[in-house]
Amino acid sequence: QVTLRESGPALVKRTQTLTLTCTFSGFSLRSSGMCVSWIRQPPGKALEWLALIDWDEDKYYSTSLRTRITISKDTSKNQVVLTMTNMDPVDTATYYCARRYSANGFDYWGQGTLVTVSS
Amino acid sequence: DIQMTQSPSTLSASVGDRVTITCRASESITNYLAWYQQKPGKAPRLLIYKASYLQSGVPSRFSGSGSGTEFTLTISSLQPDDFATYYCQQYESYSLTFGGGTKVEIK
């Protein structure tokens, strides 16, 4: 079955760089049409899409965050990595990774990981 | 970026009610719209994709419609398990965006 799991630090300091890893199973990012995305949600607020990487290694970024984030994949390890530089307390959120296949929505999500940024 | 505006932001309803949530896009997204349900402390769950396609395993009381810039999510008969927050999301453009959410509360 398809699973995704986010991992990374629970606490980072202001100005540090955050690195999160999404480890998935049950599908391959080599398959045509397959994508993995990062999405975050500050406490009590709405979902915010961050970045997406597809099977062909094409990468897409949020317009407002593109200067700070990088998405990459290690297909052999079934992992997708998000790095976000210059973290600020406003970046405190639960960070999710999610899968999308072809023109469907995000059908599988990780449980999310809460990242707190201290000042 | 394409802006997604949901209305209402909060909705009070009773079990058995027919509920409609609207999502408007700032420009045409053809039918590249998905709807999600989220409960507190949980990841979102995909309900509808491509505006009107029901995700496998989702009850048939959920339906989606619309195209272009205006979309609706309808719950035909609200059940206790449906009290949650609902989000629309467009994926027409390379910069995906979510709506601000609609919280469905018990009346």
Side-chain angles (χ1 to χ4, degrees):
Chain A
Q1 87 266 27
V2 173
T3 64
L4 301 97
R5 186 184 77 250
E6 306 87 353
S7 59
L11 182 66
V12 298
K13 294 181 180 178
R14 185 175 162 274
T15 74
Q16 286 186 336
T17 294
L18 172 70
T19 299
L20 294 174
T21 301
C22 176
T23 303
F24 58 86
S25 63
F27 67 95
S28 173
L29 249 184
R30 293 189 181 95
S31 301
S32 179
M34 202 66 74
C35 312
V36 170
S37 206
W38 284 94
I39 295 141
R40 72 179 179 179
Q41 186 172 39
K45 296 190 176 180
L47 300 163
E48 178 184 18
W49 175 77
L50 300 178
L52 181 147
I53 189 165
D54 70 15
W55 80 101
D56 208 20
E57 201 106 26
D58 290 322
K59 302 169 186 179
Y60 306 96
Y61 295 102
S62 161
T63 302
S64 61
L65 291 168
R66 64 172 58 249
T67 61
R68 296 176 52 209
I69 56 177
T70 304
I71 192 169
S72 61
K73 67 183 175 91
D74 185 332
T75 307
S76 64
K77 292 183 179 178
N78 279 355
Q79 291 180 334
V80 172
V81 175
L82 179 79
T83 59
M84 183 178 292
T85 61
N86 195 25
M87 294 292 285
D88 185 88
V90 299
D91 297 313
T92 293
T94 296
Y95 287 76
Y96 296 99
C97 60
R99 180 195 93 152
R100 192 183 87 191
Y101 175 64
S102 190
N104 305 333
F106 293 114
D107 57 353
Y108 289 94
W109 294 64
Q111 64 188 15
T113 186
L114 176 62
V115 177
T116 301
V117 184
S118 65
S119 54
Chain B
D1 283 4
I2 298 174
Q3 307 303 316
M4 304 300 293
T5 304
Q6 281 184 241
S7 60
S9 55
T10 307
L11 186 160
S12 295
S14 301
V15 172
D17 284 353
R18 181 181 181 88
V19 166
T20 299
I21 298 168
T22 298
C23 182
R24 288 188 174 88
S26 59
E27 60 186 85
S28 177
I29 58 171
T30 56
N31 68 339
Y32 291 109
L33 184 101
W35 289 98
Y36 300 88
Q37 176 194 66
Q38 188 181 33
K39 296 182 178 179
K42 300 292 188 182
R45 172 196 182 195
L46 177 65
L47 302 175
I48 302 284
Y49 63 94
K50 278 197 283 190
S52 61
Y53 290 77
L54 192 67
Q55 174 68 5
S56 175
V58 174
S60 59
R61 63 181 180 272
F62 291 93
S63 64
S65 64
S67 66
T69 62
E70 187 149 341
F71 301 85
T72 58
L73 172 71
T74 300
I75 309 172
S76 60
S77 178
L78 198 65
Q79 298 302 301
D81 192 47
D82 302 338
F83 292 97
T85 300
Y86 294 84
Y87 293 95
C88 62
Q89 178 236 327
Q90 66 80 19
Y91 50 105
E92 159 71 31
S93 78
Y94 289 129
S95 185
L96 285 65
T97 44
F98 285 91
T102 296
K103 185 175 183 179
V104 177
E105 298 181 327
I106 301 173
K107 193 172 185 179

